[in-house]
Amino acid sequence: MYSLPKLERFEQNVASKFNIYNSIFITLPFDEINNTGVLLPLFADICEHGYKKNQSPEEIFDTFVTKYLENPTEDEKTSLMFRFIQYVERQVVLFDAIEDASFDVVNNMEGRGSLRNMKERAEQRFKKDELITFLNTFKVRTVLTAHPTQFYPGSVLGIITDLTEAIKINDLNTIKELLAQLGKTPFIKKEKPTPFDEAVSIIWYLENVFYHTIGEMMQYVQKNIFKNKTSLDNDIFNLGFWPGGDRDGNPFVTTEITLKVADRLRTAILKCYYLDIRKLKRKLTFAGVEELISSIENKLYRSVFYSEGTIFISQDELANDLQLIKSLLIKKHQSLYLDEIENLISKLNVFGYHFATLDIRQNSKMHQTVFQDIINTKPELFPSNYNELDEISKINILSNIKADLNEKDFENDVTKKTLSSIKAIKSIQERNGELGCNRYIISNNENALNVIEALSLFQLTNWKNPSVDIVPLFESVEDLQKADKVMEQLYTNPIYKNHLSNRKNIQTIMLGFSDGTKDGGYLMANWGIYNAKIAISNMSRKHNINVVFFDGRGGPPARGGGKTNQFYASLGPEIENKQIQLTVQGQTISSNFGTLDSCRYNLENLLSAGANNQVFHHEENHLTTKEKEVMQKLSEISYQKYIDFKSHPKFVPYLENMSTLNYYAKTNIGSRPSKRKQSSQLNLDDLRAIPFVGSWSQLKQNVPGFFGVGTALKYFEQNEKWDDVQNLYNNSLFFKTLLENSMMALSKSFFPLTAYMKNDPEYGVFWNIIHTEYLETKRLLLKISGFTELMENYPDGKASVAMREKIVLPLLTIQQYALLKIKTLKESDNPNEKQIAVYEKIVTRSLFGNINASRNSA
């Protein structure tokens, strides 16, 4: 029997089920007024038709009130808005659960991009040896971060998990109970989470998803590709972790929290091993084996539940005992339950006693503050004219500086935290192993001095030959353009060269992150990073350094929610690509890695992207000189358009006064402040990328994902050079992927929501600039792709986006209505502060549903 097309599978298993279960959900009474669920579909219908008639959110809501409510008071209207918001955000949860439950039906788990497909392609093309070599050297590292783009508390995550399981088996009674529970469970956090709270939330995914998925994948590789004949000496999958270690702009990350998070990670992985051993104990009841299993169980139990930091079985001891059990099973017990013990050995090889590597990240500007404090407090360590010296002279001094500084000798809080964080790294390595914490990331890295400053912090705390990688993060367009020269300066520095030698001559570099798009616009950020990678790859090869690129998912790999694996598959041979490393944050963790099926699917696709480059068609993605020239011209035109746009006098005021930007800080969804510097005046450079991108998303304008693309394409159209960009699109997977990601950003835009702004005396012209660029980008993306609709080549993804946008349309209408009310009230002669406060609360509450409905906006 033939399987249905993907879109039909989506319609049957997601869209239809949502309509059925939603009809049950909206009839459940959650409060004293039982008609909220009846009124919501009516309001949604009026919203949909109202925007088609070019009505404003205010006109739409007033139409609804006139038609369905009988002379309501202002309090009754706002009360209904709050209840609509509560229903909509729970409808989003229901849709999430249904999509998760249907993931393995809608997506072909054994199709293109899967481990099985990779194995079969290698066999068909006689590339089995190349695949084995690849798997013994290639790595995929997903780094889980706590950027505030997801707000579900643990109780709601639990409901989603249970609801997903009930939907899988169509257990109607349980579904109804869980929907009722969902309706009565608070979504809102009264207080901001601490970095430790964020860490605990994300560790849930490590324990319940990544642990099992990666273990099974490693075992599949060993059994079916290596066939237990050759040894798999590579752990392939690494996990990184930022909550509790990411200090950049987060004053709440302390050394105490860093150590506490590391302890929690170790306890979590030991608990996973303990639970596996308990299951094995019921099976391995053989002479000589049972005693060993019982001993391991006892030691792990004491380490997890009664240790207070004491470990009763070391990682080496556990590894040796498991190998001994494996040997006994083979020699004396006919290899009975051998798969299970090998699975646990694979997990131990990947996760060790660290589970995920805790990265430390700090801004280079903070390091400069720290060094100035050290100079002032310990002047004997530096020449008296140090501050007047040039960069090279400072590097020479710092390269040879040594001391044993103690954080207690300093009064400055930043200095104390920075020095103690260095000591925390050493402490974590002693307890969790080197992989527990062995990377120090410098955000806003501008020059070689920034890197040497970070390295010298270890020397100043008397840590000789630190077992830590220094990872510069080049973010701005300007910094990307000179990144290769900065790295050559480091590669030729004797001290840093020696440090790299101690680190196996591997240098990890972050490029762009989310701030790259904020700084340079969509095309320039992506092309700038692409060029920087080529230049750094060439420079690193010249100096025999193995460079590893570490990407922020919100940067080039998936801006707007695009296909991350396709981005990596598009990289050509000029870019070093022996590892894929990327951050995964917020709702992308739950959407891409929240279930066993989605986690396996996405990890396998990332691994397959690496195999596409190295095993199957390594030379196919090479850009020609002509194509690079076209790409460069597109980027330059797009960049100028974006810079002019960002320089517009209404750019910052528009975000402040017409978007939800000022409300992000009130949501309590993340521990980190929304701005790096807490000044009263908004400075775009200090604004974090997440609220910047999120504010455009709430407006349904998604500027970071498309602005400047239309103008750049139009230049080629008007100058009779269209064939150049058309050929680039047809021949370059890299360029095609960029434009397809941009299409998704456009698909999530909805300008009728804010069309009322075009008549605003202050912001009308600015709104029209955005809308005109949107229309041009959409027109030309359809032209170059040959599509009649955006995302035509991903019909199921298009359908999913459309359903999510439809669900949140009432919520967005309420949000815009409230923003309009606030503006009107504030401009009145006698502002009603009480009413303003109510509408501000409505705006804040309306953020959550849209954030989660977008699922992968960041």
Side-chain angles (χ1 to χ4, degrees):
M1 184 176 178
Y2 294 107
S3 62
L4 293 169
K6 202 170 184 181
L7 178 59
E8 289 187 38
R9 298 201 300 272
F10 176 87
E11 294 291 347
Q12 282 190 7
N13 295 281
V14 180
S16 297
K17 280 189 177 181
F18 175 76
N19 291 329
I20 292 167
Y21 294 138
N22 185 49
S23 65
I24 296 170
F25 174 68
I26 61 175
T27 59
L28 295 173
F30 298 129
D31 48 46
E32 67 279 4
I33 300 174
N34 297 338
N35 64 349
T36 309
V38 175
L39 290 172
L40 180 57
L42 299 173
F43 180 53
D45 189 59
I46 283 180
C47 289
E48 195 171 335
H49 287 91
Y51 289 119
K52 287 177 182 176
K53 297 176 189 174
N54 299 315
Q55 290 182 326
S56 70
E58 198 167 20
E59 290 170 326
I60 288 169
F61 189 75
D62 288 344
T63 300
F64 168 76
V65 169
T66 303
K67 194 170 183 179
Y68 294 109
L69 303 181
E70 194 172 335
N71 298 320
T73 65
E74 192 68 22
D75 286 348
E76 286 171 339
K77 285 195 286 186
T78 54
S79 175
L80 183 61
M81 286 184 211
F82 278 118
R83 295 202 304 278
F84 278 170
I85 291 169
Q86 289 172 331
Y87 266 78
V88 170
E89 62 192 9
R90 285 160 175 79
Q91 285 178 314
V92 171
V93 169
L94 174 60
F95 191 81
D96 283 350
I98 292 170
E99 272 206 320
D100 288 344
S102 308
F103 191 91
D104 61 333
V105 178
V106 174
N107 297 280
N108 185 356
M109 300 294 290
E110 305 297 340
R112 189 170 184 83
S114 68
L115 274 171
R116 178 176 176 176
N117 177 260
M118 198 189 311
K119 167 183 170 290
E120 290 174 352
R121 285 172 73 196
E123 289 172 344
Q124 289 164 4
R125 300 185 188 190
F126 304 102
K127 290 185 176 246
K128 189 75 179 291
D129 290 341
E130 288 98 320
L131 180 61
I132 286 174
T133 300
F134 165 77
L135 290 170
N136 252 331
T137 55
F138 194 80
K139 290 182 186 293
V140 172
R141 181 191 289 248
T142 50
V143 180
L144 309 181
T145 80
H147 289 315
T149 58
Q150 209 256 47
F151 82 101
Y152 293 144
S155 55
V156 174
L157 286 172
I159 294 171
I160 294 174
T161 301
D162 295 341
L163 192 55
T164 300
E165 292 306 312
I167 289 168
K168 273 187 175 181
I169 57 174
N170 293 313
D171 183 348
L172 196 57
N173 286 332
T174 302
I175 291 167
K176 193 171 179 180
E177 286 178 350
L178 287 166
L179 289 175
Q181 181 188 352
L182 184 67
K184 292 179 174 293
T185 301
F187 272 41
I188 305 307
K189 297 171 180 174
K190 292 180 180 178
E191 296 179 355
K192 274 183 173 286
T194 66
F196 183 72
D197 294 333
E198 291 171 330
V200 170
S201 295
I202 295 176
I203 287 171
W204 185 92
Y205 293 99
L206 296 181
E207 293 177 306
N208 293 281
V209 183
F210 284 96
Y211 177 75
H212 303 288
T213 304
I214 290 176
E216 289 175 6
M217 290 172 68
M218 292 294 292
Q219 189 172 27
Y220 179 92
V221 170
Q222 182 66 66
K223 283 189 67 178
N224 296 285
I225 298 176
F226 283 71
K227 297 188 182 295
N228 293 322
K229 293 175 183 175
T230 6
S231 173
L232 173 58
D233 299 320
N234 180 30
D235 50 14
I236 302 179
F237 299 101
N238 300 152
L239 295 174
F241 203 80
W242 276 16
D246 184 5
R247 287 163 160 70
D248 182 14
N250 195 339
F252 307 111
V253 176
T254 63
T255 301
E256 181 186 5
I257 281 181
T258 301
L259 293 169
K260 196 175 173 185
V261 169
D263 283 347
R264 184 62 173 254
L265 284 164
R266 186 184 67 250
T267 300
I269 190 59
L270 291 177
K271 185 170 75 172
C272 288
Y273 295 151
Y274 167 72
L275 293 173
D276 273 359
I277 286 290
R278 278 192 67 184
K279 291 175 188 173
L280 274 169
K281 188 181 176 185
R282 293 176 63 86
K283 296 179 177 180
L284 301 181
T285 52
F286 321 133
V289 175
E290 186 177 23
E291 298 81 0
L292 269 172
I293 283 287
S294 294
S295 173
I296 293 171
E297 181 199 29
N298 178 264
K299 290 173 182 176
L300 284 173
Y301 181 82
R302 289 163 65 201
S303 299
V304 173
F305 299 106
Y306 287 103
S307 69
E308 293 186 1
T310 305
I311 302 300
F312 293 93
I313 180 169
S314 69
Q315 184 176 335
D316 287 343
E317 186 183 351
L318 178 57
N320 290 336
D321 284 353
L322 292 176
Q323 287 293 345
L324 179 56
I325 291 170
K326 176 182 174 180
S327 177
L328 288 170
L329 292 179
I330 294 169
K331 290 178 182 176
K332 297 186 177 181
H333 304 291
Q334 294 76 48
S335 298
L336 198 55
Y337 299 124
L338 183 63
D339 282 354
E340 284 90 333
I341 203 72
E342 286 184 334
N343 187 309
L344 184 51
I345 290 170
S346 290
K347 289 172 179 172
L348 182 61
N349 289 338
V350 173
F351 302 118
Y353 271 25
H354 63 283
F355 214 158
T357 300
L358 185 61
D359 288 344
I360 305 296
R361 184 168 78 125
Q362 184 55 284
N363 196 293
S364 64
K365 298 290 188 286
M366 286 297 181
H367 286 163
Q368 291 166 17
T369 301
V370 169
F371 271 91
Q372 192 54 55
D373 188 41
I374 295 173
I375 291 167
N376 295 339
T377 308
K378 302 283 184 180
E380 67 276 10
L381 294 173
F382 298 85
S384 57
N385 65 336
Y386 178 82
N387 285 329
E388 285 73 50
L389 297 174
D390 60 20
E391 183 189 358
I392 294 174
S393 300
K394 286 181 178 179
I395 287 174
N396 289 336
I397 290 166
L398 290 179
S399 295
N400 297 293
I401 199 168
K402 290 180 176 58
D404 190 6
L405 300 181
N406 192 312
E407 63 270 21
K408 295 176 183 177
D409 296 335
F410 298 87
E411 294 182 8
N412 186 297
D413 190 52
V414 175
T415 307
K416 284 176 176 288
K417 285 182 177 180
T418 302
L419 293 177
S420 62
S421 70
I422 301 295
K423 294 182 178 179
I425 295 173
K426 185 181 275 191
S427 175
I428 292 167
Q429 289 192 6
E430 289 168 356
R431 295 164 65 80
N432 294 14
E434 186 192 310
L435 289 175
C437 186
N438 68 349
R439 306 205 309 181
Y440 197 106
I441 300 165
I442 315 156
S443 52
N444 197 29
N445 196 101
E446 297 175 337
N447 49 49
L449 178 61
N450 292 157
V451 177
I452 297 298
E453 282 175 338
L455 180 60
S456 66
L457 285 171
F458 293 87
Q459 296 167 187
L460 286 167
T461 52
N462 199 30
W463 191 351
K464 299 168 186 174
N465 300 321
S467 47
V468 178
D469 297 322
I470 309 296
V471 182
L473 166 50
F474 299 99
E475 301 188 56
S476 71
V477 171
E478 182 184 348
D479 292 337
L480 289 169
Q481 289 171 346
K482 62 182 182 182
D484 61 319
K485 301 294 189 298
V486 170
M487 294 317 300
E488 182 166 44
Q489 202 175 341
L490 291 166
Y491 293 157
T492 55
N493 176 277
I495 300 299
Y496 195 77
K497 188 176 180 181
N498 181 63
H499 171 70
L500 282 179
S501 177
N502 292 332
R503 303 301 296 158
K504 300 179 181 178
N505 282 325
I506 298 172
Q507 172 68 59
T508 303
I509 298 171
M510 284 195 81
L511 295 170
F513 209 41
S514 295
D515 287 297
T517 311
K518 177 167 75 84
D519 177 59
Y522 183 71
L523 280 184
M524 180 55 85
N526 283 280
W527 182 237
I529 291 169
Y530 187 90
N531 278 325
K533 284 186 175 180
I534 290 176
I536 293 170
S537 295
N538 290 335
M539 190 63 71
S540 299
R541 288 164 182 162
K542 174 184 170 183
H543 292 278
N544 296 315
I545 301 297
N546 297 309
V547 70
V548 174
F549 294 114
F550 176 21
D551 295 300
R553 186 185 182 279
R559 164 58 63 223
K563 304 269 182 186
T564 311
N565 61 293
Q566 191 162 302
F567 166 80
Y568 284 110
S570 74
L571 299 178
E574 292 179 283
I575 293 175
E576 203 66 65
N577 192 26
K578 292 177 183 173
Q579 292 192 34
I580 287 176
Q581 296 193 12
L582 78 162
T583 60
V584 186
Q585 62 243 14
Q587 79 277 48
T588 309
I589 297 175
S590 54
S591 63
N592 284 15
F593 301 96
T595 67
L596 296 173
D597 287 333
S598 63
C599 184
R600 177 193 146 196
Y601 181 85
N602 284 293
L603 285 177
E604 287 190 3
N605 269 274
L606 286 173
L607 187 61
S608 176
N612 282 341
N613 276 320
Q614 295 195 30
V615 179
F616 298 116
H617 46 75
H618 187 53
E619 298 297 328
E620 288 181 22
N621 297 315
H622 186 82
L623 287 173
T624 65
T625 302
K626 173 69 174 175
E627 288 169 342
K628 286 180 180 178
E629 289 172 358
V630 173
M631 193 69 222
Q632 181 64 30
K633 188 66 176 177
L634 284 165
S635 300
E636 288 171 358
I637 296 167
S638 174
Y639 180 59
Q640 190 57 54
K641 178 72 173 178
Y642 180 76
I643 291 302
D644 291 344
F645 174 61
K646 206 168 69 164
S647 302
H648 193 287
K650 295 301 177 187
F651 187 93
V652 171
Y654 182 82
L655 283 174
E656 281 192 295
N657 300 315
M658 305 301 279
S659 83
T660 58
L661 180 66
N662 293 326
Y663 297 89
Y664 264 79
K666 302 175 183 178
T667 56
N668 291 336
I669 58 175
S671 67
R672 184 194 308 276
S674 59
K675 294 189 292 184
R676 285 186 171 91
K677 295 176 185 175
Q678 299 311 301
S679 57
S680 55
Q681 179 126 9
L682 176 62
N683 183 321
L684 198 59
D685 292 335
D686 293 331
L687 181 64
R688 294 202 154 274
I690 294 299
F692 175 78
V693 172
S695 297
W696 292 113
S697 175
Q698 296 285 331
L699 283 168
K700 306 313 292 178
Q701 293 175 0
N702 291 323
V703 160
F706 75 83
F707 199 88
V709 175
T711 296
L713 292 172
K714 189 176 181 180
Y715 167 85
F716 282 80
E717 182 187 51
Q718 289 181 331
N719 289 278
E720 299 182 355
K721 295 181 178 180
W722 184 257
D723 285 349
D724 291 345
V725 288
Q726 188 66 63
N727 290 334
L728 180 63
Y729 179 85
N730 294 339
N731 299 330
S732 168
L733 182 58
F734 171 74
F735 185 56
K736 184 179 283 189
T737 301
L738 286 189
L739 296 194
E740 287 182 354
N741 283 356
S742 192
M743 282 189 199
M744 184 174 280
L746 291 175
S747 297
K748 293 178 181 178
S749 298
F750 184 67
F751 278 84
L753 177 72
T754 56
Y756 70 90
M757 293 182 189
K758 67 184 173 186
N759 299 317
D760 188 277
E762 187 175 358
Y763 297 106
V765 173
F766 189 78
W767 183 91
N768 275 300
I769 291 172
I770 302 168
H771 187 230
T772 301
E773 185 65 16
Y774 163 80
L775 292 175
E776 277 299 274
T777 304
K778 181 179 178 180
R779 178 181 73 83
L780 291 165
L781 286 182
L782 291 176
K783 178 178 179 178
I784 201 169
S785 63
F787 298 161
T788 55
E789 294 180 324
L790 296 171
M791 292 181 67
E792 194 175 290
N793 54 334
Y794 295 112
D796 59 310
K798 177 180 170 62
S800 177
V801 168
M803 283 200 73
R804 289 177 176 277
E805 297 302 308
K806 186 175 181 179
I807 291 168
V808 296
L809 189 59
L811 181 149
L812 292 165
T813 304
I814 290 169
Q815 182 185 94
Q816 285 298 317
Y817 178 88
L819 286 168
L820 281 163
K821 282 291 185 183
I822 293 165
K823 192 169 184 286
T824 303
L825 286 165
K826 285 185 175 180
E827 290 172 355
S828 65
D829 294 333
N830 188 21
N832 186 327
E833 295 298 335
K834 187 177 178 183
Q835 273 195 7
I836 290 172
V838 170
Y839 281 113
E840 285 184 334
K841 188 176 179 183
I842 286 174
V843 174
T844 304
R845 286 289 284 104
S846 67
L847 292 173
F848 304 130
N850 188 40
I851 288 170
N852 287 290
S854 298
R855 239 187 178 194
N856 55 10
S857 60

